[in-house]
Amino acid sequence: QHAPTVTIKQSAGGLAVRGGRAGCRSEDMTEEGSTHQLRPSFNERFKAPAVKVLLGSVLSERLADKSYSADGAAQWSKEISDEIKSRLKAEFDLPRYKFVVQVLIGEQRGEGIRFAGRCLWDHNTDAFAEDSYRNDSLFCVASAYGVYLY
């Protein structure tokens, strides 16, 4: 099954855009036209289970020997989010995805926490993964969002 495409045809009169639906014929394309993919193929999708493994790996490597301090937590969250983002780009070949990474580190006091966010989302192409880490001193929640660029 092929992902839907849009045909963009340039002529002297401007651009003509046709959707990749049943009504779009192959003869509508010319050498001047190009095809733009609107949805990723199965192999090009954000793979949440694999990203969750990456998150868990980074969190356990970076926080295993740490004890909570407010100043340290601010620096660690920046460093961890940067590492996750760079590893997402390096280990997953998803050039059409934009990655957003959030890392929250707090002191372990047995209290609850609520964490929420909102965004414009296309459930057909966009996805996320999250994982958490905790020890006697701190807890950490990391979320990685993959947003497909049309």
Side-chain angles (χ1 to χ4, degrees), residues 61-83:
E61 289 169 10
R62 298 297 299 261
L63 297 172
D65 61 343
K66 303 284 193 258
S67 293
Y68 181 81
S69 77
D71 295 333
Q75 183 64 32
W76 302 331
S77 62
K78 290 176 189 173
E79 292 171 357
I80 290 170
S81 61
D82 287 342
E83 180 176 345

Side-chain angles (χ1 to χ4, degrees), residues 13-27:
L15 290 176
V17 179
R18 298 182 194 273
R21 297 185 180 90
C24 184
R25 301 179 312 247
S26 61
E27 59 264 23

Side-chain angles (χ1 to χ4, degrees), residues 50 53-54 57-58 83-94:
V53 170
L54 182 143
S57 166
V58 172
E83 180 176 345
I84 290 170
K85 189 173 175 184
S86 65
R87 285 185 60 180
L88 282 170
K89 289 178 179 181
E91 295 178 24
F92 297 91
D93 185 27
L94 302 172

